[in-house]
Amino acid sequence: MADKTTRKKLPSIVINAEDHARLTAIASSALDRVPDVAEALLSELDRARIAAPGKLPKDSVQMGSTVAFDADNGFAKEVRLVYPGEADIEAGKISVLTPIGAALIGLSVEQSIDWVDRAGKVHRMTIRSVMPQAD
């Protein structure tokens, strides 16, 4: 149980109800293929506050949002959070079914979170800005 007491407190997150349902289905179906990432995404979804689309904070990361963040190693990046079939790293579109994508969902500006890359290294990122998906 030491793990729970030594872990950093996770930031509060909010996700719209439609995305929550769709992401839960995607993560559940990916448990056999990418168990670590699927479990990380399901964990984030479990702790998320669910809100109606019109009640979401404008600075929260939702599906389709463009997010600028800084990492603890000095790395700064701007990406668009997308569903797995839309991912294109060269175009800056990152899947929610990746370690960093699962960590981004629901965060707001100035929040920080730790995430574990596929090599098992822990990174910390802080959200600088969020632009909602253009309709």
Side-chain angles (χ1 to χ4, degrees):
M1 293 292 169
D3 188 36
K4 287 188 178 188
T5 58
T6 57
R7 243 185 353 192
K8 292 181 181 172
K9 186 176 186 302
L10 293 171
S12 61
I13 59 175
V14 60
I15 301 173
N16 77 59
E18 183 179 314
D19 283 346
H20 190 277
R22 186 171 175 191
L23 292 172
T24 299
I26 288 169
S28 296
S29 70
L31 282 168
D32 289 339
R33 294 186 320 276
V34 285
D36 291 348
V37 178
E39 287 173 10
L41 181 54
L42 286 170
S43 177
E44 292 299 286
L45 294 168
D46 282 347
R47 70 184 191 84
R49 180 173 61 86
I50 300 171
K55 301 291 184 187
L56 290 167
K58 295 209 182 299
D59 70 346
S60 67
V61 180
Q62 302 299 312
M63 295 308 300
S65 295
T66 299
V67 186
F69 64 89
D70 297 320
D72 55 359
N73 61 2
F75 180 75
K77 187 79 173 165
E78 183 174 293
V79 297
R80 185 172 198 183
L81 187 63
V82 298
Y83 288 101
E86 302 166 15
D88 181 350
I89 296 295
E90 290 182 17
K93 296 178 181 179
I94 189 164
S95 170
V96 71
L97 203 53
T98 60
I100 198 166
L104 283 170
I105 191 70
L107 290 174
S108 295
V109 172
E110 296 186 7
Q111 285 185 317
S112 298
I113 194 167
D114 291 339
W115 63 279
V116 180
D117 68 20
R118 294 186 194 269
K121 185 171 183 198
V122 177
H123 302 273
R124 185 152 188 88
M125 70 175 150
T126 302
I127 306 301
R128 282 188 290 125
S129 67
V130 178
M131 283 184 44
Q133 180 175 352
D135 291 326

